Amino acid sequence: MEQARQADEAVPFFRHDLGSLELEAIREVLAGDILTTGDYVRGFEEKFAKYLNIAEVIGLSSCTGALHLALIGLGLKPGDEVITTPMTFVATVTAIMCAQGKPVFVDVEAETGNMDVNKIRAVITDKTRFIMPVHLYGQMCDMGALRALADEYNLKIIEDSAHCIEGHRDGIRPGQLSEAACFSFYATKNMTSGEGGALATRHEDLCRRLRTLSQHGMTKNANDRYKEGYRHWDVLELGWKYNMDNLQGALLNCQMSRLDEKLRARQQRAHYYRQRLMELSGVEMPAVLDGVGHAWHLMTVWLDPELRDSIILALQKEKIGCVVNYRAVHGLTYFSQQLGCSKSDFAIAADIGDRTLSLPFYPTMSYQQIDRVIVALERALAAHA
Ligand SMILES: *Cc1c(COP(=O)(O)O)cnc(C)c1O
């Protein structure tokens, strides 16, 4: 009976695990006076900086905002070129375009889906200013190689680390070799405040400047006024509003101590998932390279492009949540029109975009649920073979 019930129970794509600790943290913030940026944000920033082993973290309202802020704060001028990957969420590219930069794509590695570092040199021009890698699915790009290349051409690096809070590669963590690494705490990310983001940097002067720019460029913020009483403030530079509030700060602060435990839970589930998936014919998976400490954000399979969309329908019919991360950005209507690219220009990314599927995956997912996903996927593959 129990077995039968479990066999057709819905498996959501993601389920958050925020509970009594977070509720208590929110209660504490509400009992105080400061709901906007204040001591809870500061507390989170300090903890997260220590976790990443980096000098500075700024809590922000989103990763998209963090990317935009980093670009304008690091001096992007209209028309400057930013080299990035088409195998990403649109935010990477919209941040560049909203800052009036020009995205220049390079194709990705077929094994990992990450930006192919070897293809960068060929697209560098005298307008190139930035490289913006994305650590896809939680596997870091080769930051050592990127840094060497960036230094050779005097380029700045901004990491889109939305998938990679916990990851590392060759002992390097996000932010340690770049100008800035940007994180997301969106609802389905490894750590979440519903919406939220952060920027990590080893450059303290840059951090001071970005902090100001994240609050309209104002020389004082609400928390200063609360602590010091009202003093006149000024605006020295054009900024935008990207600050994190105390409710978000408190929610994130109390998840920090569970980060590694949750990573271990995802590692174990990823290991089991991938072993089971290997038994299925018609299923490929991204490789995990030597030296990589994977953050395991998504459980990705690569399928026959002719079958992918029918398999999504079949899984959804069985109440199994799934998502596509991502159809390649350069093929989406707006970007292909604005940037004048066609799907075949970055053929490997386009191909991954046609084949990729993200299966349900989160630290509290049971092994029975994983089995249920595997069985449903196997059935869908058999039906469409
Ligand atoms: C989620 C995500 C973003 C955007 O994060 P927000 O916090 O929602 O702005 C950017 N890039 C990638 C790769 C993402 O997965």
PDB file of all heavy atoms in Angstrom, residues 62-65 67 88-89 91-92 134 160 162-163 183-186 189 195-197 326, ligand 1:
ATOM      1  N   SER A  62      19.922  40.467  -6.007  1.00  0.00           N
ATOM      2  CA  SER A  62      19.900  39.352  -6.964  1.00  0.00           C
ATOM      3  C   SER A  62      21.285  39.166  -7.568  1.00  0.00           C
ATOM      4  O   SER A  62      22.149  40.050  -7.462  1.00  0.00           O
ATOM      5  CB  SER A  62      18.894  39.613  -8.097  1.00  0.00           C
ATOM      6  OG  SER A  62      19.374  40.634  -8.954  1.00  0.00           O
ATOM      7  N   CYS A  63      21.460  38.040  -8.241  1.00  0.00           N
ATOM      8  CA  CYS A  63      22.705  37.798  -8.975  1.00  0.00           C
ATOM      9  C   CYS A  63      22.733  38.658 -10.238  1.00  0.00           C
ATOM     10  O   CYS A  63      23.793  39.166 -10.628  1.00  0.00           O
ATOM     11  CB  CYS A  63      22.812  36.315  -9.329  1.00  0.00           C
ATOM     12  SG  CYS A  63      24.290  35.868 -10.239  1.00  0.00           S
ATOM     13  N   THR A  64      21.574  38.831 -10.850  1.00  0.00           N
ATOM     14  CA  THR A  64      21.497  39.692 -12.035  1.00  0.00           C
ATOM     15  C   THR A  64      21.987  41.095 -11.675  1.00  0.00           C
ATOM     16  O   THR A  64      22.796  41.691 -12.401  1.00  0.00           O
ATOM     17  CB  THR A  64      20.037  39.781 -12.544  1.00  0.00           C
ATOM     18  OG1 THR A  64      19.494  38.459 -12.622  1.00  0.00           O
ATOM     19  CG2 THR A  64      19.959  40.440 -13.892  1.00  0.00           C
ATOM     20  N   GLY A  65      21.507  41.609 -10.541  1.00  0.00           N
ATOM     21  CA  GLY A  65      21.950  42.915 -10.056  1.00  0.00           C
ATOM     22  C   GLY A  65      23.437  42.924  -9.761  1.00  0.00           C
ATOM     23  O   GLY A  65      24.136  43.895 -10.067  1.00  0.00           O
ATOM     24  N   LEU A  67      25.791  41.125 -11.144  1.00  0.00           N
ATOM     25  CA  LEU A  67      26.547  41.128 -12.404  1.00  0.00           C
ATOM     26  C   LEU A  67      26.560  42.530 -13.010  1.00  0.00           C
ATOM     27  O   LEU A  67      27.601  43.025 -13.468  1.00  0.00           O
ATOM     28  CB  LEU A  67      25.920  40.135 -13.398  1.00  0.00           C
ATOM     29  CG  LEU A  67      26.009  38.645 -13.033  1.00  0.00           C
ATOM     30  CD1 LEU A  67      25.059  37.823 -13.896  1.00  0.00           C
ATOM     31  CD2 LEU A  67      27.441  38.132 -13.184  1.00  0.00           C
ATOM     32  N   THR A  88      23.899  29.502 -20.724  1.00  0.00           N
ATOM     33  CA  THR A  88      23.667  30.106 -19.410  1.00  0.00           C
ATOM     34  C   THR A  88      22.236  30.597 -19.331  1.00  0.00           C
ATOM     35  O   THR A  88      21.504  30.604 -20.327  1.00  0.00           O
ATOM     36  CB  THR A  88      24.658  31.272 -19.161  1.00  0.00           C
ATOM     37  OG1 THR A  88      24.451  31.782 -17.832  1.00  0.00           O
ATOM     38  CG2 THR A  88      24.468  32.404 -20.155  1.00  0.00           C
ATOM     39  N   PHE A  89      21.864  31.041 -18.130  1.00  0.00           N
ATOM     40  CA  PHE A  89      20.586  31.712 -17.953  1.00  0.00           C
ATOM     41  C   PHE A  89      20.692  33.092 -18.600  1.00  0.00           C
ATOM     42  O   PHE A  89      21.770  33.691 -18.631  1.00  0.00           O
ATOM     43  CB  PHE A  89      20.278  31.827 -16.457  1.00  0.00           C
ATOM     44  CG  PHE A  89      18.956  32.471 -16.168  1.00  0.00           C
ATOM     45  CD1 PHE A  89      17.784  31.989 -16.729  1.00  0.00           C
ATOM     46  CD2 PHE A  89      18.877  33.570 -15.324  1.00  0.00           C
ATOM     47  CE1 PHE A  89      16.559  32.587 -16.466  1.00  0.00           C
ATOM     48  CE2 PHE A  89      17.655  34.170 -15.046  1.00  0.00           C
ATOM     49  CZ  PHE A  89      16.494  33.682 -15.621  1.00  0.00           C
ATOM     50  N   ALA A  91      20.147  35.953 -17.669  1.00  0.00           N
ATOM     51  CA  ALA A  91      20.613  37.051 -16.814  1.00  0.00           C
ATOM     52  C   ALA A  91      22.069  37.444 -17.097  1.00  0.00           C
ATOM     53  O   ALA A  91      22.426  38.624 -17.026  1.00  0.00           O
ATOM     54  CB  ALA A  91      20.469  36.671 -15.345  1.00  0.00           C
ATOM     55  N   THR A  92      22.914  36.470 -17.410  1.00  0.00           N
ATOM     56  CA  THR A  92      24.326  36.756 -17.695  1.00  0.00           C
ATOM     57  C   THR A  92      24.417  37.763 -18.841  1.00  0.00           C
ATOM     58  O   THR A  92      25.196  38.714 -18.801  1.00  0.00           O
ATOM     59  CB  THR A  92      25.064  35.456 -18.102  1.00  0.00           C
ATOM     60  OG1 THR A  92      24.611  34.381 -17.287  1.00  0.00           O
ATOM     61  CG2 THR A  92      26.557  35.612 -17.997  1.00  0.00           C
ATOM     62  N   VAL A 134      30.687  31.316 -16.620  1.00  0.00           N
ATOM     63  CA  VAL A 134      29.572  30.798 -15.814  1.00  0.00           C
ATOM     64  C   VAL A 134      29.952  29.385 -15.375  1.00  0.00           C
ATOM     65  O   VAL A 134      30.319  28.568 -16.213  1.00  0.00           O
ATOM     66  CB  VAL A 134      28.281  30.749 -16.654  1.00  0.00           C
ATOM     67  CG1 VAL A 134      27.116  30.182 -15.837  1.00  0.00           C
ATOM     68  CG2 VAL A 134      27.933  32.125 -17.205  1.00  0.00           C
ATOM     69  N   ASP A 160      30.000  34.494 -13.077  1.00  0.00           N
ATOM     70  CA  ASP A 160      28.613  34.196 -12.753  1.00  0.00           C
ATOM     71  C   ASP A 160      28.640  32.870 -12.002  1.00  0.00           C
ATOM     72  O   ASP A 160      28.752  31.803 -12.591  1.00  0.00           O
ATOM     73  CB  ASP A 160      27.764  34.100 -14.021  1.00  0.00           C
ATOM     74  CG  ASP A 160      26.302  33.786 -13.708  1.00  0.00           C
ATOM     75  OD1 ASP A 160      26.029  33.233 -12.623  1.00  0.00           O
ATOM     76  OD2 ASP A 160      25.435  34.088 -14.551  1.00  0.00           O
ATOM     77  N   ALA A 162      26.301  31.687  -9.941  1.00  0.00           N
ATOM     78  CA  ALA A 162      24.948  31.408  -9.436  1.00  0.00           C
ATOM     79  C   ALA A 162      24.755  29.917  -9.111  1.00  0.00           C
ATOM     80  O   ALA A 162      23.993  29.565  -8.226  1.00  0.00           O
ATOM     81  CB  ALA A 162      23.901  31.856 -10.456  1.00  0.00           C
ATOM     82  N   HIS A 163      25.479  29.042  -9.846  1.00  0.00           N
ATOM     83  CA  HIS A 163      25.341  27.601  -9.609  1.00  0.00           C
ATOM     84  C   HIS A 163      26.393  27.079  -8.644  1.00  0.00           C
ATOM     85  O   HIS A 163      26.416  25.890  -8.356  1.00  0.00           O
ATOM     86  CB  HIS A 163      25.503  26.827 -10.931  1.00  0.00           C
ATOM     87  CG  HIS A 163      24.410  27.077 -11.908  1.00  0.00           C
ATOM     88  ND1 HIS A 163      24.302  26.397 -13.097  1.00  0.00           N
ATOM     89  CD2 HIS A 163      23.352  27.917 -11.879  1.00  0.00           C
ATOM     90  CE1 HIS A 163      23.239  26.817 -13.769  1.00  0.00           C
ATOM     91  NE2 HIS A 163      22.650  27.750 -13.043  1.00  0.00           N
ATOM     92  N   PHE A 183      26.750  35.706  -6.947  1.00  0.00           N
ATOM     93  CA  PHE A 183      25.973  34.556  -6.479  1.00  0.00           C
ATOM     94  C   PHE A 183      24.485  34.878  -6.479  1.00  0.00           C
ATOM     95  O   PHE A 183      24.096  36.032  -6.344  1.00  0.00           O
ATOM     96  CB  PHE A 183      26.399  34.184  -5.052  1.00  0.00           C
ATOM     97  CG  PHE A 183      27.847  33.794  -4.955  1.00  0.00           C
ATOM     98  CD1 PHE A 183      28.822  34.763  -4.766  1.00  0.00           C
ATOM     99  CD2 PHE A 183      28.229  32.464  -5.086  1.00  0.00           C
ATOM    100  CE1 PHE A 183      30.165  34.409  -4.704  1.00  0.00           C
ATOM    101  CE2 PHE A 183      29.566  32.105  -5.018  1.00  0.00           C
ATOM    102  CZ  PHE A 183      30.538  33.088  -4.828  1.00  0.00           C
ATOM    103  N   SER A 184      23.671  33.817  -6.576  1.00  0.00           N
ATOM    104  CA  SER A 184      22.216  33.978  -6.543  1.00  0.00           C
ATOM    105  C   SER A 184      21.623  33.203  -5.372  1.00  0.00           C
ATOM    106  O   SER A 184      22.027  32.064  -5.113  1.00  0.00           O
ATOM    107  CB  SER A 184      21.610  33.451  -7.841  1.00  0.00           C
ATOM    108  OG  SER A 184      20.195  33.462  -7.745  1.00  0.00           O
ATOM    109  N   PHE A 185      20.665  33.816  -4.702  1.00  0.00           N
ATOM    110  CA  PHE A 185      19.900  33.122  -3.661  1.00  0.00           C
ATOM    111  C   PHE A 185      18.435  33.070  -4.047  1.00  0.00           C
ATOM    112  O   PHE A 185      17.544  33.142  -3.214  1.00  0.00           O
ATOM    113  CB  PHE A 185      20.134  33.799  -2.303  1.00  0.00           C
ATOM    114  CG  PHE A 185      21.593  33.980  -1.996  1.00  0.00           C
ATOM    115  CD1 PHE A 185      22.122  35.240  -1.736  1.00  0.00           C
ATOM    116  CD2 PHE A 185      22.453  32.887  -2.009  1.00  0.00           C
ATOM    117  CE1 PHE A 185      23.473  35.418  -1.491  1.00  0.00           C
ATOM    118  CE2 PHE A 185      23.811  33.053  -1.769  1.00  0.00           C
ATOM    119  CZ  PHE A 185      24.326  34.317  -1.510  1.00  0.00           C
ATOM    120  N   TYR A 186      18.202  32.960  -5.346  1.00  0.00           N
ATOM    121  CA  TYR A 186      16.868  32.755  -5.915  1.00  0.00           C
ATOM    122  C   TYR A 186      16.268  31.457  -5.342  1.00  0.00           C
ATOM    123  O   TYR A 186      17.000  30.575  -4.873  1.00  0.00           O
ATOM    124  CB  TYR A 186      17.004  32.699  -7.446  1.00  0.00           C
ATOM    125  CG  TYR A 186      15.751  32.266  -8.149  1.00  0.00           C
ATOM    126  CD1 TYR A 186      14.658  33.127  -8.229  1.00  0.00           C
ATOM    127  CD2 TYR A 186      15.661  31.005  -8.720  1.00  0.00           C
ATOM    128  CE1 TYR A 186      13.501  32.716  -8.867  1.00  0.00           C
ATOM    129  CE2 TYR A 186      14.508  30.590  -9.358  1.00  0.00           C
ATOM    130  CZ  TYR A 186      13.427  31.446  -9.422  1.00  0.00           C
ATOM    131  OH  TYR A 186      12.271  31.036 -10.041  1.00  0.00           O
ATOM    132  N   LYS A 189      17.942  27.945  -5.763  1.00  0.00           N
ATOM    133  CA  LYS A 189      19.403  27.825  -5.678  1.00  0.00           C
ATOM    134  C   LYS A 189      19.812  27.072  -4.403  1.00  0.00           C
ATOM    135  O   LYS A 189      18.981  26.830  -3.524  1.00  0.00           O
ATOM    136  CB  LYS A 189      20.041  29.215  -5.757  1.00  0.00           C
ATOM    137  CG  LYS A 189      19.765  29.947  -7.085  1.00  0.00           C
ATOM    138  CD  LYS A 189      20.430  29.268  -8.230  1.00  0.00           C
ATOM    139  CE  LYS A 189      20.281  29.728  -9.652  1.00  0.00           C
ATOM    140  NZ  LYS A 189      19.672  30.884 -10.149  1.00  0.00           N
ATOM    141  N   GLU A 195      14.390  35.574  -3.066  1.00  0.00           N
ATOM    142  CA  GLU A 195      15.202  36.320  -4.037  1.00  0.00           C
ATOM    143  C   GLU A 195      16.403  36.845  -3.260  1.00  0.00           C
ATOM    144  O   GLU A 195      16.308  37.103  -2.061  1.00  0.00           O
ATOM    145  CB  GLU A 195      14.425  37.501  -4.624  1.00  0.00           C
ATOM    146  CG  GLU A 195      13.164  37.126  -5.397  1.00  0.00           C
ATOM    147  CD  GLU A 195      13.438  36.541  -6.777  1.00  0.00           C
ATOM    148  OE1 GLU A 195      14.592  36.591  -7.253  1.00  0.00           O
ATOM    149  OE2 GLU A 195      12.478  36.022  -7.375  1.00  0.00           O
ATOM    150  N   GLY A 196      17.507  37.036  -3.936  1.00  0.00           N
ATOM    151  CA  GLY A 196      18.687  37.569  -3.261  1.00  0.00           C
ATOM    152  C   GLY A 196      19.944  37.257  -4.046  1.00  0.00           C
ATOM    153  O   GLY A 196      19.926  36.415  -4.949  1.00  0.00           O
ATOM    154  N   GLY A 197      21.019  37.952  -3.721  1.00  0.00           N
ATOM    155  CA  GLY A 197      22.284  37.711  -4.399  1.00  0.00           C
ATOM    156  C   GLY A 197      23.436  38.253  -3.578  1.00  0.00           C
ATOM    157  O   GLY A 197      23.226  38.862  -2.521  1.00  0.00           O
ATOM    158  N   TYR A 326      19.971  25.042 -20.132  1.00  0.00           N
ATOM    159  CA  TYR A 326      19.151  26.076 -20.718  1.00  0.00           C
ATOM    160  C   TYR A 326      19.095  25.847 -22.207  1.00  0.00           C
ATOM    161  O   TYR A 326      19.988  25.219 -22.754  1.00  0.00           O
ATOM    162  CB  TYR A 326      19.783  27.464 -20.469  1.00  0.00           C
ATOM    163  CG  TYR A 326      19.995  27.738 -18.983  1.00  0.00           C
ATOM    164  CD1 TYR A 326      21.224  27.466 -18.392  1.00  0.00           C
ATOM    165  CD2 TYR A 326      18.960  28.238 -18.193  1.00  0.00           C
ATOM    166  CE1 TYR A 326      21.412  27.697 -17.024  1.00  0.00           C
ATOM    167  CE2 TYR A 326      19.150  28.470 -16.834  1.00  0.00           C
ATOM    168  CZ  TYR A 326      20.370  28.190 -16.265  1.00  0.00           C
ATOM    169  OH  TYR A 326      20.551  28.395 -14.938  1.00  0.00           O
TER     170      TYR A 326
HETATM  171  C1  LIG B   1      19.776  32.044 -11.287  1.00  0.00           C
HETATM  172  C2  LIG B   1      20.832  32.512 -12.218  1.00  0.00           C
HETATM  173  C3  LIG B   1      21.100  33.873 -12.418  1.00  0.00           C
HETATM  174  C4  LIG B   1      20.207  34.961 -11.891  1.00  0.00           C
HETATM  175  O1  LIG B   1      20.102  34.977 -10.530  1.00  0.00           O
HETATM  176  P1  LIG B   1      19.046  35.975  -9.860  1.00  0.00           P
HETATM  177  O2  LIG B   1      19.459  35.959  -8.419  1.00  0.00           O
HETATM  178  O3  LIG B   1      17.697  35.376 -10.073  1.00  0.00           O
HETATM  179  O4  LIG B   1      19.198  37.305 -10.493  1.00  0.00           O
HETATM  180  C5  LIG B   1      22.182  34.231 -13.202  1.00  0.00           C
HETATM  181  N1  LIG B   1      22.951  33.313 -13.793  1.00  0.00           N
HETATM  182  C6  LIG B   1      22.724  32.003 -13.651  1.00  0.00           C
HETATM  183  C7  LIG B   1      23.651  31.023 -14.314  1.00  0.00           C
HETATM  184  C8  LIG B   1      21.640  31.553 -12.882  1.00  0.00           C
HETATM  185  O5  LIG B   1      21.395  30.235 -12.771  1.00  0.00           O
END
